[in-house]
Every structure is written in C-alpha cells, then in structure tokens.
C-alpha cells in the first residue's frame, strides 16, 4: 500500500471528470478543494513539516480563504519562503494555530528573509517531502514523532545561510498571523541552540543542531545580526511591537554540499526537546537517512493493515492515499501536555470532532486500538482540566471554541470503546464526566426543555444520552441508565411531524435536509415520524436526486443567486460536506440497501480521483478519507451504536488487521469498474448484494456488531447487477425494537 500513496492528492482545487448518472444531480456548496498538504508526517505523530507559502489553510499551496465554490488563488505559482512545522490536514478554517518555526535556506542577505521563491521538482511520500527553491537549493525534510530533520543541498556560494525564524506562525491571510506572547532563544555554540516561544498560550520548545562546520552562528532581531550575543528574551510581545527574530548559520559552500538541520520539539521545555531529539536520532549523525527509514517503516506497518486484491491502479492509489490521510491526525505527543504534569497520552489537533467521530475514530479503533484508547484517555483528561469534552481540540488551552458546531460527540466513541471491552479506561470516572458534560453548554437547555436550537444539538444530545445510558447500564447503574435513556428519546422533539424533517432552525454547514437523515439510535421510530418506509424512502430519493436532472456546480466567486438556487434544490451535497457522510446508509433502516449501493458506488466512481484535485471537498482531518476507506471495504460504522452496516465493496477482496486477528471481506461476482465509468455505456456493474454469509453462516441482515469485525472473521458477499431481497426483512437495531419483539421488519 505504501508505494501507492500520493500525498499530493487533495492539495489543489477539485479537478474530476464531469459526473454522470446519479452523481450528476448532487450539488456542492462548500469549497471544492481537499485542503491537504504533501509535507512529511509520521503516523499520528506530533510533528509535520512542509514548504510554507502562507496560503490558506495549511500554509502550503496557492489558495486564499473562501467559503463557497472553487477556491481563489493567492499566488500565480507554487512558492515558499521556507519550511515550517505543525500543519493541519484537510480542515477548513483553523487558520493561525500552526506553521511554527520556519527554517529557510538562503544565498541572499538576511534582509530577503520572508521573500518567497518558486518551488519546482516537488516529491512526496510517507515521511518525506522535497522541493527545489528558485535559488537552486534542493530541500529535503523527514520527520519522526517529535523531530524534524532538514537536509539542504546548496550550490557553490561564498555566503550561504540557514535561518531559523522563531517568530513565524499562522498564515499570510487576514487575521491569520500568529503572534507569540513570549519568547526566549539561546545560542549554545558548536551548531547548537534552543528556544521556547509561547504561541496561543502554549509553550513550544525547540532544540536545534545544525551540521555546518566552519560556519558562523549568530542570533538576529529585526533582520539585523547580533554579533557576540548568546541569548534573546522577549517578555511581552504584541502585534504592534513584534519584529522577526531567530538564529542564523552562515558560511561558504561547495557545489552539492549538504547541510543538515535537526530539530527536536517539546511542549515541556528545552531539556525535553533535546531528549526527544537524542532519543529519535540516536547516535546517527547525520540522521536524515536513518530517521526517514524509521518513519517509512512505521508508515508501512500502519498502511499494511489494509490489503485489497484487484482494483485498477487509480483505485488503489486513491485508497492507499485515503488510508494515509486517515492516519495523520490526531497528533499524539505522549508525556507532552503543557497543562498537566503527569505522563500519559496527550492528543491535540482533534480538529474537528464533528468531522472525525463518524468514520475516523472507528477506523483508528480497528487499526490502532491502543491509539484510539489514548485519544479517549486524553479527552477525559481535557474534560477534567477544562470542564467539558471538546468538540475540537488544538494545541491551545481554553474554553471549547467549537462548541457551536456540535455537542456530546465524544460520547459516541466512549460508548463504542466500552462495548468493545477497552479496559485501560477508568469507566466509572469516565461515566461521571459523560453525565456532567451532557448538561453543559446547550445541554442545560436540553435537560430543562427537551429541545434546543440550533436543532442539530438536540440530536447530538439525545444520541449522547443514549450512549451514556449504555455505559451506565453496563456498569450496573440501572437507575441512572433508565433516566438517561428516557431523555435520549428527546430526539423526536427536533422533528416536524407534518414534514417528517427537522424543524426550521440554524444549521452549521448545511440545512435541515442534510441533517434530517442522520443515523439515530432509534431509526425505527424516526422512520415512523416520516410516515413509514414508503414515505421515508420517497424523501430520501428526492434528497439523493433519483430521477432528477443534472445540476451545475458553483465556480469561482459564484453569484448569490446561483448559490440560493442550489440550496433550494435541498439536495445531497455528496462528500463535499460532512453532514451528508452517513445519509446514504439511512436506506438500510427502511429495507432498501440497494439504494445505498447505488449512491456509494456513484460517490466512489465520480467524487474521488488521482492527482492534486482528486478530492471533492475538505478532507476534514481524515474524516473524508476514512469514509472512503470504509466505503471501499463495503462497511460503515454507526458511531455510538457498536454497529457496522454492510454494503457492496469496491474491491474483489480485502483483508483488514483487527484487534482479534484478520477480518476478510470476500466477494463472488465482483467486476472491476474504473473511476469515471459507472456502467452507463457499459455492462451494468454488479452493485447489489444477493446473499451474504459470516464465517460460513448465512447473514440475512445488513449489519454486523462491531465485535464481529473486531474479533476477526470472514464476510462473503455474492454480488449481482440487479437489486435483490437481501436485507429487506431484518433491519439494523433501533431503541424501540423491544416494543415490537415479534416484528422483524
């Protein structure tokens, strides 16, 4: 899998073949760009590193901030003013919390620092990024978990430089700049230096080693060298008095001479930053080759946990890259929390929970269960320290800045982890926080009135109550569980019984149609609110564009009237928008898994491709890529319900390493279909499951328990070109099923 990864996928504006068939009826209002970067990363590691232009939102590339249609460019060409660390991956509007510690190789005077030079000959693979600057300097970067190693190959020059700028951060967009609050830098001589900058309330320490024998080593401030100085201290920095500052290494170079820069990072001071560098580099000097090999080996181990047979080269590239993107975030910095002194996991860049809770966290729990447990431990600790489970968490402490987007999403992952038997967590203590968190923020109004606006929070909180009730019942607190479960029925207050859709309200990145088909814990009752199977399916068909005409997608700077007409379609926004990620599987609960198969096949065929423009929208910290991985395997996790839904996979067979061994997905009747070909001009593809078996026993339902997948086994699906009756009788479980035990539906 590792050889098929292309880190450039998603780094440019969406550029896919015009969709045909069902997919041509979907409409994409959000920015049509993946917002990924090709920089060097380690699996779920603390550090990333990439070329820095200041562009939105990762610091890499060409684009400025936009909220609709095709993104506008800031620059006419790929360029960089240096190489920075700590990039986000695929999110939309996080802006200034990244791109710290810019390293710039130069052959110009220090006055030119901040100037951008053209980038050419870019290369990227897991753990490695390289490019040539317009100055002729070949730049290569690799990273470990807490270190970055730069290798610069210079042309012949009498006064070459490597400049480390500790004042840099954020983006070159309006309101995108990061200003450090305090800073301290110390030049220690012999190519060694260290410093700490407080960015957004977080102390980031770096220990640097530069292999540049015979070069001068100096501090600088406001682009002026400080001869003989060994230390700079800034006690109170503001926008009005910030001037660039950092370190400089300068000397002559022979043609092709390489200079290595080794950086160790920590959130707990310079000594720990140095220890991190020594631990990961060992005695290797230079260290670039060894660190790159170790990180590549880690990537190979992680990526090899999913293996597929067959598939076109393009499909395998997209799948491999999706798996890679799904394993970049969250960042884990063990024993690095600047806010509590204890050892243990510290996860940041949980940006954003509403993107990742449906698909990415379930994927982590399958492929890297220890890391999934670490994430939950870290979130519990954040809740202890800050008073709430965060909806999004960065490297900065404080009130949850994302609370308006959603509520109580960590509860889904906690409930699933408990059902799977995760033993490392103190579940009695976790339950205390789960219950308390349900009454914070919007939860207070929900507790008192059973409904809250924005109305999607009513659904979030009702699901959160259901998840918490499951944990309480498993811990034998039946009285608490009964109360929580009763309150979990408040989801019904969010729906208009006349329309069968959500009530009018404010919505985050979508409308009531987008959110009306969420997979609730009582889909049986939810379908009844819509008027039963037939009416529910009719609404879904309208939403997904069955029988509708093709639509035109927004271009650059779409007029307001065009956007209003698009929103008026009330149409599926495809994988351009995360609220729609789970909607295709709502058909399973109404006995029409064949509809799910058509929609998912159309999405896999028309909404993903190779090349920089191969994503239909923001990758959302790996949430979108995780969707692609699950969809390609023919599975979909229902967050908080210990459940997987079954669908037609995109490959003839697949093997996934799971905590209990291996889970095999096999098909008969499968036929390869290339990206951009859906059978309109060809023989209809075998999209539909005709019958299924699990471990040799017939499977008549369209779902599996999460335990079935996690313990390993063999799922066999016989496929055909026409819908069948498979899955129409036994529906996935719902809370109200116990009221009608004789009805299998």
């Amino acid at each position: 899998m590792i050889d098929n990864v292309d880190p450039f996928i998603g780094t440019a504006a969406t550029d896919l073949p015009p969709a045909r068939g069902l997919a041509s009826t979907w409409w994409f209002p959000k920015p049509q760009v993946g917002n990924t970067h090709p920089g060097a990363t380690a699996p779920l590691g603390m550090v990333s590193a990439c070329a820095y232009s200041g562009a939105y939102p990762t610091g890499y590339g060409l684009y400025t901030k936009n909220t609709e249609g095709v993104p506008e460019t800031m620059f006419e060409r790929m360029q960089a003013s240096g190489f920075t660390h700590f990039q986000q991956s695929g999110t939309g509007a996080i802006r200034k919390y990244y791109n710290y510690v810019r390293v710039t190789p130069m052959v110009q005077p220090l006055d030119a620092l901040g100037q951008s030079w053209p980038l050419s000959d870019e290369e990227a693979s897991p753990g490695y990024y390289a490019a040539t600057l317009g100055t002729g300097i070949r730049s290569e970067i690799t990273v470990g978990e807490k270190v970055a190693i730069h290798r610069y190959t210079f042309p012949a020059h009498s006064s070459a430089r490597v400049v480390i700028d500790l004042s840099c951060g954020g983006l070159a967009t309006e309101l995108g700049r990061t200003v450090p609050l305090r800073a301290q830098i110390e030049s220690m001589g012999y190519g060694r230096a260290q410093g700490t900058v407080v960015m957004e309330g977080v102390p980031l320490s770096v220990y640097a080693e530069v292999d540049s024998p015979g070069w001068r080593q100096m501090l600088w401030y406001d682009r002026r060298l400080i001869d003989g100085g060994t230390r700079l201290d800034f006690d109170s920095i503001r926008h009005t008095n910030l001037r660039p500052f950092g370190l400089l290494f300068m000397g002559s170079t022979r043609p092709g001479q390489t200079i290595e820069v080794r950086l160790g990072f920590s959130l707990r001071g310079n000594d720990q930053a140095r220890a991190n560098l020594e631990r990961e580099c060992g005695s290797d000097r230079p260290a670039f080759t060894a660190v790159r090999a170790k990180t590549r080996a880690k990537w190979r181990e992680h990526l090899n946990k999913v293996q597929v047979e067959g598939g076109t080269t393009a499909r395998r590239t997209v799948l491999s890259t999706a798996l890679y993107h799904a394993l970049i975030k969250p960042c884990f910095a063990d024993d690095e929390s600047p806010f509590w002194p204890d050892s243990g996991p510290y996860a940041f860049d949980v940006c954003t929970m509403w993107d990742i809770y449906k698909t990415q966290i379930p994927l982590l729990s399958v492929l890297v269960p220890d890391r999934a447990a670490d994430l939950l431990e870290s979130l519990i600790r954040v809740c202890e320290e800050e008073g709430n489970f965060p909806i999004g968490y960065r490297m900065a402490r404080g009130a949850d800045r994302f609370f308006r987007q959603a509520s109580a999403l960590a509860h889904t992952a906690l409930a699933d982890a408990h059902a799977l038997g995760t033993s490392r967590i103190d579940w009695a203590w976790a339950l205390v926080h789960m219950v308390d968190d349900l009454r914070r923020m919007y939860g207070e109004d929900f507790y008192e009135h059973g409904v809250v606006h924005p109305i999607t929070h009513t659904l979030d909180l009702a699901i959160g109550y259901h998840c918490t009730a499951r944990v309480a019942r498993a811990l034998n607190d039946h009285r608490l569980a009964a109360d929580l479960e009763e309150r979990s029925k408040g989801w019904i207050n969010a729906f208009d019984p006349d329309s069968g859709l959500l009530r009018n309200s404010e919505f985050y990145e979508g409308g009531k149609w987008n959110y009306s088909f969420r997979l609730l814990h009582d889909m049986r009752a939810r379908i009844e609110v819509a008027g039963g199977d037939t009416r529910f399916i009719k609404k879904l068909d309208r939403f997904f564009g069955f029988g509708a005409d093709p639509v035109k997608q927004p271009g650059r700077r779409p007029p307001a009237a065009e956007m209003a007409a698009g929103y008026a379609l009330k149409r599926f926004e495809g994988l351009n928008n995360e609220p729609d990620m789970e909607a295709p599987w709502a058909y399973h609960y109404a006995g029409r898994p064949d509809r799910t198969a058509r929609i998912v096949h159309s999405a896999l065929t028309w909404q993903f491709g190779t090349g920089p423009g191969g994503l239909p929208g923001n990758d959302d910290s790996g949430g979108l890529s995780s969707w692609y991985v699950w969809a390609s395997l023919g599975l979909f996790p229902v967050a908080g319900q210990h459940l997987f839904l079954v669908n037609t996979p995109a490959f003839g067979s697949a093997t996934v390493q799971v905590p209990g061994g291996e889970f095999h997905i096999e098909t008969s009747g499968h036929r390869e279909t290339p990206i951009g070909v859906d059978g309109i001009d060809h023989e209809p593809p075998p999209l539909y499951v005709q019958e299924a078996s699990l471990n040799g026993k017939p499977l008549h339902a369209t779902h599996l328990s999460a335990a079935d997948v996690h313990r390993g086994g063999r799922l066999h699906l016989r496929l055909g070109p026409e819908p069948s009756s498979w899955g129409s009788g036994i529906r996935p479980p719902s809370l109200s099923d116990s009221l009608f035990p004789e009805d299998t539906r």
Side-chain angles (χ1 to χ4, degrees):
M1 296 286 279
I2 192 171
D3 294 328
N4 296 106
V5 172
D6 179 6
F8 288 101
I9 289 180
T11 59
T14 300
D15 183 19
L16 297 166
R20 299 178 64 183
L22 185 63
S24 70
T25 71
W26 305 338
W27 183 74
F28 316 143
K30 286 184 62 180
Q32 296 168 41
V33 61
N35 283 352
T36 60
H37 69 82
T41 65
L44 304 172
M46 175 179 171
V47 179
S48 59
C50 194
Y52 179 77
S53 67
Y56 179 88
T58 67
Y60 168 86
L62 300 173
Y63 301 105
T64 188
K65 182 182 179 181
N66 77 307
T67 57
E68 298 172 333
V70 177
E72 296 185 61
T73 57
M74 293 177 65
F75 315 112
E76 295 181 356
R77 64 187 184 188
M78 295 298 295
Q79 61 185 54
S81 63
F83 303 88
T84 56
H85 306 83
F86 302 97
Q87 288 79 21
Q88 58 178 297
S89 180
T91 51
I94 310 304
R95 294 195 298 276
K96 63 180 181 177
Y97 292 87
Y98 303 90
N99 292 300
Y100 306 136
V101 187
R102 179 176 60 189
V103 182
T104 303
M106 303 171 62
V107 290
Q108 293 85 4
L110 187 58
D111 284 340
L113 183 68
Q115 173 184 335
S116 288
W117 298 280
L119 278 181
S120 62
D121 300 323
E122 287 186 281
E123 295 180 39
S125 60
Y128 176 79
Y129 173 80
T132 299
L133 294 172
T135 54
I137 301 170
R138 183 63 175 171
S139 306
E140 301 172 273
I141 310 174
T142 191
V143 299
E145 291 183 0
K146 300 180 182 181
V147 305
I149 315 296
H150 300 236
R151 183 167 65 190
Y152 300 117
T153 303
F154 282 84
H157 202 277
S158 61
S159 186
R161 296 167 171 84
V162 171
V163 184
I164 301 177
D165 183 353
L166 273 72
S167 69
C168 181
L171 303 175
T173 61
E174 186 177 1
L175 302 179
R177 187 182 185 189
T178 302
V179 175
L181 303 177
R182 295 182 299 279
Q184 170 270 316
I185 313 172
E186 183 180 3
S187 177
M188 304 163 71
Y190 305 102
R192 296 178 296 122
Q194 62 187 20
T196 298
V197 289
V198 179
M199 297 280 200
E200 298 296 323
V202 176
L204 174 64
S205 295
V206 57
Y207 179 82
E209 294 179 348
V210 180
D211 282 347
S212 54
W215 281 28
R216 296 178 65 193
Q217 175 176 337
M218 289 173 284
L219 298 172
W220 58 271
Y221 172 72
D222 199 14
R223 296 183 175 84
R224 295 294 178 265
L225 297 176
I226 304 175
D227 279 327
T230 60
R231 185 180 174 103
L232 285 174
D233 287 275
F234 304 93
D235 294 330
S236 180
I237 303 174
R238 299 181 296 278
H239 282 268
T240 54
N241 67 6
L242 174 65
R243 300 293 184 272
F245 56 85
L247 297 137
L248 176 140
F249 302 83
M250 180 173 63
S252 62
T253 51
R254 305 180 306 276
Q257 181 176 343
T258 61
I259 301 296
E260 182 172 281
V261 180
R262 296 181 291 274
L263 303 174
F265 294 95
S266 177
L267 305 179
R268 286 186 174 173
N270 294 325
D271 289 345
Q272 188 151 318
R274 178 177 183 174
N276 290 339
L277 185 66
E278 291 175 347
R279 184 182 63 256
E280 294 201 49
C281 293
S283 59
D284 296 310
R285 298 292 187 274
F288 190 96
T289 300
V291 170
R292 181 185 178 186
K294 291 175 186 176
T295 300
R296 184 171 177 84
K298 290 178 182 177
W299 271 118
R300 186 182 300 278
E301 177 188 355
H302 281 70
L303 295 170
N304 280 348
K305 292 186 177 184
V306 177
Q307 297 288 333
V308 295
E309 294 293 331
T312 63
T313 300
R315 280 199 187 273
R316 294 177 69 87
T317 295
V318 176
L319 175 64
S320 300
T321 306
L323 184 58
Y324 165 76
H325 281 145
L327 293 170
I328 292 177
K329 303 291 183 179
C331 292
F332 285 91
D334 295 331
D335 303 333
E336 290 286 355
S337 170
F339 308 125
W340 57 82
D342 300 353
S343 61
Y346 175 61
F348 61 93
D349 263 4
V350 187
C351 289
T352 49
M353 185 67 79
W354 65 90
D355 295 321
I356 68 174
Y357 83 97
K358 300 173 188 175
T359 55
Q360 188 181 23
I361 294 179
L363 187 64
L364 297 181
S365 72
V366 167
L367 300 182
V368 282
D370 288 344
R371 273 312 192 198
D374 288 344
L375 172 61
L376 297 182
E377 281 194 64
S378 181
L379 293 178
I380 291 170
R381 190 58 189 264
V382 171
C383 193
E384 288 182 26
E385 296 289 325
E386 301 189 16
N388 61 277
F389 281 113
I391 300 301
Y393 191 78
R394 297 175 294 228
M395 207 190 298
R397 186 175 191 170
D400 187 356
R401 296 173 176 86
F402 300 109
F403 76 92
R404 292 180 180 86
Q405 275 88 324
S407 296
L409 300 183
H411 296 59
T412 63
L414 287 162
D416 283 338
H418 186 272
L420 288 167
T422 302
S423 59
R424 286 174 38 195
I425 294 172
D426 182 342
W427 285 108
W429 190 226
L431 179 61
V432 170
H433 290 300
M434 293 174 75
V435 173
D436 287 348
D437 188 72
L438 289 170
R439 301 184 187 184
R440 297 190 178 106
M441 305 291 186
Y442 294 102
E444 184 176 353
D445 281 346
F446 181 84
Y447 184 82
E448 293 180 356
H449 307 296
V451 66
V452 65
H453 289 268
I455 204 69
T456 54
H457 289 263
T458 298
L459 302 185
D460 291 340
L461 288 160
I463 294 170
Y465 270 96
H466 172 71
C467 292
T468 308
R470 287 178 49 200
V471 176
R473 180 164 285 105
L475 296 178
N476 295 315
D477 194 336
H478 297 289
R479 182 176 179 180
L480 174 61
D483 176 67
L484 293 168
E485 195 164 273
E486 186 62 29
R487 293 183 186 277
S488 80
K489 298 174 183 177
W491 64 266
I492 199 169
N493 299 327
F495 286 90
D496 177 358
D498 293 329
S499 69
L501 301 171
L502 288 174
R503 298 183 185 278
N504 292 330
S505 185
E506 295 179 358
F507 293 90
Y508 176 73
E509 293 188 351
K512 67 181 180 182
W513 281 80
N514 301 96
Y515 286 94
S516 285
F517 303 111
R518 287 180 64 177
L519 303 184
L520 305 178
H521 50 289
D522 199 349
M523 286 298 292
R524 178 176 187 143
R526 190 268 172 270
I527 291 172
E528 292 303 319
V529 169
D533 287 348
T534 301
R535 291 186 178 181
F536 185 67
I537 291 169
K538 186 176 180 180
K539 291 183 184 298
L540 280 172
D541 285 352
R542 183 196 186 288
F543 178 61
F544 284 104
F546 282 95
D549 294 329
V551 300
K552 178 185 176 182
Q553 303 302 333
R556 186 169 285 114
R557 294 188 182 181
E562 178 184 343
M563 296 303 295
Y567 284 117
L569 294 170
K570 301 177 174 63
R571 192 64 51 77
F572 180 55
E573 295 174 4
L575 279 302
N576 177 256
N577 199 1
E578 67 273 358
D580 289 354
M581 283 183 176
E582 59 192 332
W585 279 267
Y587 281 106
H588 274 53
Y589 292 86
R592 291 299 303 271
D594 59 298
R595 287 291 209 232
T596 301
R598 277 196 63 184
I599 295 163
V600 173
H601 172 76
S602 294
L604 293 176
T605 299
W606 296 106
Q607 291 206 287
F608 297 85
T610 57
L615 291 181
N618 296 350
D619 193 51
D620 291 325
S621 282
L624 175 61
S625 287
S626 299
W627 185 97
Y628 188 91
V629 173
W630 286 123
S632 296
L633 296 174
L635 296 171
F636 187 80
V638 185
Q641 297 187 43
H642 190 58
L643 191 68
F644 280 89
L645 304 180
V646 179
N647 184 46
T648 305
F651 294 88
S653 65
T655 299
V656 183
Q657 291 184 27
V658 297
E662 292 183 338
F663 190 77
H664 302 275
I665 303 161
E666 301 173 342
T667 66
S668 54
H670 180 271
R671 192 178 75 249
E672 304 296 346
T673 55
I675 293 174
V677 177
D678 65 358
I680 294 175
D681 300 322
H682 301 75
E683 182 182 349
L687 294 186
Y688 308 105
V689 177
Q690 309 295 302
E691 59 183 16
S693 64
L694 179 66
N695 299 326
K697 298 180 180 180
L699 177 68
H700 301 295
T702 58
H703 63 275
L704 306 170
S705 74
D708 287 332
V709 175
H710 279 247
R711 73 169 61 98
R714 192 173 301 273
L715 174 67
H716 185 90
L717 304 172
R718 184 171 68 83
L719 308 178
E722 299 294 335
S724 72
S725 61
W726 177 80
S728 62
I730 301 176
R731 311 293 173 83
S734 290
L735 180 64
S736 59
D737 284 346
S738 59
L739 301 177
F740 307 94
E742 75 287 350
D743 182 6
T744 62
R745 293 191 48 169

